[in-house]
Amino acid sequence: MTGLLEGKSAIVTGAGSGVGRVSAQRFAEEGARVVAADINVDNAKETVRRIEASGGTGVAVGVDVSDDGQVQSMIAAAVEANGRLDILFNNVGIPTPRLGMVFEDHTLEDFNRLVAVNLGGVFLGCKYAVLQFKKQGGGGVILNTASVAGLVGWGGSVYGATKGGVIQLTRGVAIEAAPFGIRVNAICPAAMPLTGFMAAGGLQVDEAKQAEIAEAVGGQHPLGKAITAEDCAEAALYLVSDAARNVTGVALPVDGGFVAK
């Protein structure tokens, strides 16, 4: 490995599975000291176990990103463990209660929950990271997970609206925070049928059916492949590293060319 994040203190939310787990492991492989945060702390601990088994450094923290106090505690845990915070990857997101449900079937409770986690969690993470970065000096990096659903009409209208909000929040905070050396970007993945997102949306399938869905989804992308957690982790690694030191306010599609069509 190249040590792109050597000595950096990083938090990855949603680190107990999928994009978050793979990103946490990649950050650690590149030298970061990682706080793996997840609402399921046992899953976060498993991520840390994998990091440590590969010679990296990690700490597991339980967090509900929609809870103001818990997000503050998460930031404090990174500072306590590593002396400072350099990188926050706001990766947590939840799908609609049932994949494929139409707009008018959403209840107000569905709407409020999607907004609280997908947009509210990013708001809280950005807020307390910016406060910490300003307090300690020297800048910092925030990366948010949005979606191509926030860039184009994708279905899942309420979910897409929350991700559109993430993109606009990313741009706005990037401009406000730039004078302080703070960079803020987002990744916008397309469909990821192999990361557990389908199960979270209530669709339980066996491996054979999952592979079939992945092939069909990949066929919708010009490059012909479904998006994987590894695809997103590599994009994330670039954006949080000094290789992207002059990149801020971008919403980077990780979509096999889907939104370019």
Side-chain angles (χ1 to χ4, degrees):
M1 298 304 165
T2 58
L4 282 174
L5 304 182
E6 192 64 42
K8 299 291 188 181
S9 170
I11 298 172
V12 179
T13 69
S17 62
V19 172
R21 171 170 284 172
V22 176
S23 297
Q25 291 177 263
R26 282 295 288 123
F27 290 8
E29 286 171 358
E30 294 293 343
R33 295 165 290 170
V34 178
V35 169
D38 199 280
I39 196 167
N40 185 324
V41 72
D42 288 335
N43 287 352
K45 288 178 180 178
E46 172 59 19
T47 298
V48 169
R49 186 195 68 76
R50 297 185 186 196
I51 287 171
E52 292 177 342
S54 298
T57 302
V59 175
V61 172
V63 65
D64 177 346
V65 297
S66 68
D67 185 285
D68 188 285
Q70 291 189 41
V71 173
Q72 290 187 65
S73 296
M74 176 187 73
I75 299 290
V79 176
E80 180 180 357
N82 301 320
R84 60 181 289 112
L85 177 67
D86 299 299
I87 298 163
L88 172 63
F89 184 9
N90 286 313
N91 170 66
V92 168
I94 58 173
T96 56
R98 185 181 72 257
L99 290 179
M101 69 188 297
V102 296
F103 168 72
E104 60 269 26
D105 284 347
H106 287 75
T107 65
L108 181 59
E109 182 180 6
D110 296 334
F111 174 87
N112 287 338
R113 181 60 178 159
L114 284 161
V115 170
V117 175
N118 291 356
L119 183 55
V122 172
F123 161 73
L124 290 173
C126 286
K127 174 180 177 177
Y128 291 113
V130 167
L131 286 169
Q132 179 60 35
F133 293 152
K134 288 182 176 181
K135 177 182 177 182
Q136 69 194 22
V141 181
I142 297 170
L143 180 63
N144 302 319
T145 296
S147 171
V148 296
L151 294 169
V152 298
W154 177 268
S157 299
V158 177
Y159 172 82
T162 66
K163 293 301 186 175
V166 169
I167 292 168
Q168 191 56 29
L169 187 65
T170 297
R171 291 169 174 155
V173 178
I175 299 307
E176 286 192 27
F180 302 93
I182 300 167
R183 297 191 299 107
V184 189
N185 292 297
I187 58 170
C188 300
M192 298 185 288
L194 302 175
T195 63
F197 201 73
M198 290 192 302
L203 183 60
Q204 301 288 342
V205 297
D206 59 26
E207 286 190 15
K209 184 63 175 178
Q210 188 180 50
E212 180 183 329
I213 292 171
E215 184 175 359
V217 167
Q220 299 175 22
H221 304 155
L223 288 178
K225 299 176 183 178
I227 307 307
T228 67
E230 289 76 14
D231 295 329
C232 294
E234 294 302 328
L237 177 62
Y238 164 68
L239 287 171
V240 303
S241 76
D242 289 342
R245 59 188 173 276
N246 211 22
V247 178
T248 197
V250 306
L252 176 65
V254 183
D255 67 346
F258 182 85
V259 299
K261 291 193 297 183

